[in-house]
Amino acid sequence: MKIRLAEPYIDEKIKRKILDVIDSKHYVEGRYTREFEEKFSGYIGVRYSIAVSSGTSSLLLILRALDIGPGDKVAVPDFTFIATLSQGVLLGAKPVLIDVDYETMCMDPDDLKKKMDYKVKAVIPVHLFGHPAPMDEILEIAKEYGAYVIEDAAQAHGAKYKGRYVGGIGDVGYFSLYPSKNMGVYGEGGIITTNDEEIARRVRRLKNHGVEDGEIKEFGYNMKFNEINAVVALETLKYLPEWNERRRRNAELYREYLSGIDIRLPTQREYAYHVYNLYTIKTGRRDELAKELKKEGIGYGIYYDKPLHKLEIVKELIGEKSLPVSDKLSREVISLPVHPFLSQSDIEKVSKVVKKVHS
Ligand SMILES: Cc1ncc(COP(=O)(O)O)c(C=O)c1O
């Protein structure tokens, strides 16, 4: 692959720090994990951050901390990664699938309003591809029904909604630290953010076998963070604002190079600071474009080729549903490389292929 869809950041300083951790003989939940949590809280503007083993385990811990289980419903957008849905299902909650806005591809508050009832205990908006979901509308609807709002910010480190960092707007939020995200580690990782002391306390003990003050208080998990990933995360967090600016610059270049052809470019709503984890366009010629990109050695991704309601395991659970916008998106979307280590000429090369297919 000549131009990759995502690129991990590797430098000598990080390698040296990893060697220091190895020499320290302290590998799990030590001073680097604490320092990373503090710095991340400072960056997002929340009181508590809790580093865990992945984005998916973040959501499981949050749902357990909110005592969500059988008899409860959880509202999730239909157009997202399976993890947003699966963790609630595993705890016995029933999913309510919400359609999305065609332009932002995030949860549609009008559809949420139609489908809300008092059994919905949590609403999980996803800041998809780095674009913030419409939080004011979602928070208002959730409040009316007494539901928690959990922000899925797995793809949106540093994105802002009306000037506020996502992950610090709802009751609780979480981020994935998978290497392809806006900031990541060398392996799996996740981090939970909240201003709520009780939620923070519960997830902290649940991620460590239910232990609090040296005693086992409830049945928990082993979803702790490790010190090697903490030194990597401390470094990548430093670069995050600059990398997001570069992603935005690359998006601007695409906007310039791809104007006037028959595709839909990503939208940035007036309330949004979009951080382009992926540059997802909509086209009627996706197969042809994918073939050409592959031929030219350019990485691409199709997220998501199946909306959640079309998965057999989901149909078995909630039956056939109609979610037309999400359906349409699943047929049209394709994500192009936009990561911070691309040059202007890389963006030009990708754009040329897109233009050729659409001319
Ligand atoms: C929207 C969304 N939610 C949740 C996750 C889960 O994160 P992780 O892969 O760190 O478990 C991802 C990961 O890609 C994601 O994209």
Side-chain angles (χ1 to χ4, degrees), residues 21-32:
V21 174
I22 294 171
D23 287 336
S24 79
K25 302 183 184 171
H26 197 136
Y27 307 131
V28 181
E29 298 263 339
R31 70 181 176 103
Y32 293 117

Side-chain angles (χ1 to χ4, degrees), residues 36-49 151 158-160 163-173 175 191-196 237 240:
F36 170 51
E37 289 175 336
E38 268 168 37
K39 294 248 160 79
F40 201 76
S41 289
Y43 176 69
I44 299 294
V46 288
R47 287 170 69 197
Y48 310 100
S49 290
E151 292 177 71
K160 287 181 241 178
R164 290 172 66 192
Y165 284 104
V166 302
I169 302 169
D171 295 289
V172 53
F175 298 79
I191 189 157
I192 297 166
T193 47
T194 186
N195 286 309
D196 186 308
L237 178 60
L240 179 65

Side-chain angles (χ1 to χ4, degrees), residues 201-208 210-212 217-218:
R201 193 175 66 83
R202 281 293 296 284
V203 294
R204 248 187 220 297
R205 80 181 190 196
L206 280 164
K207 79 163 175 173
N208 182 24
V211 174
E212 192 181 327
K217 300 275 173 64
E218 64 180 315

Side-chain angles (χ1 to χ4, degrees), residues 246-304:
R246 287 203 225 160
R247 286 176 183 273
R248 289 168 58 81
R249 181 210 59 190
N250 290 341
E252 274 308 305
L253 289 173
Y254 274 131
R255 185 160 294 282
E256 193 181 309
Y257 298 146
L258 296 177
S259 66
I261 60 169
D262 189 21
I263 59 172
R264 287 292 264 272
L265 302 178
T267 305
Q268 178 175 247
R269 287 269 190 265
E270 69 290 348
Y271 64 68
Y273 179 87
H274 192 331
V275 293
Y276 299 97
N277 177 245
L278 290 165
Y279 193 84
T280 304
I281 63 167
K282 297 150 197 149
T283 166
R285 297 190 194 170
R286 183 169 73 186
D287 291 349
E288 215 180 320
L289 177 57
K291 216 164 100 193
E292 280 302 309
L293 289 167
K294 197 168 175 195
K295 207 169 88 192
E296 297 296 329
I298 296 167
Y300 67 88
I302 296 177
Y303 309 111
Y304 301 92

Side-chain angles (χ1 to χ4, degrees), residues 53-57 59 80-84 126-128 152-155 174-178 180-181 188-190 277 304:
S53 53
S54 70
T56 305
S57 45
L59 181 56
T80 181
F81 186 55
I82 185 67
T84 317
V126 179
H127 305 301
L128 200 72
D152 180 334
Q155 306 179 359
Y174 73 94
F175 298 79
S176 166
L177 299 173
Y178 190 75
S180 63
K181 301 301 194 250
E188 303 279 354
N277 177 245
Y304 301 92

Side-chain angles (χ1 to χ4, degrees), residues 1-4 288-300 337 345-346 348-357:
M1 211 48 86
K2 285 181 237 155
I3 301 178
R4 288 159 50 105
E288 215 180 320
L289 177 57
K291 216 164 100 193
E292 280 302 309
L293 289 167
K294 197 168 175 195
K295 207 169 88 192
E296 297 296 329
I298 296 167
Y300 67 88
S345 92
D346 291 331
E348 243 179 303
K349 267 185 222 152
V350 180
S351 301
K352 258 191 198 148
V353 177
V354 179
K355 273 174 126 162
K356 190 176 122 195
V357 170

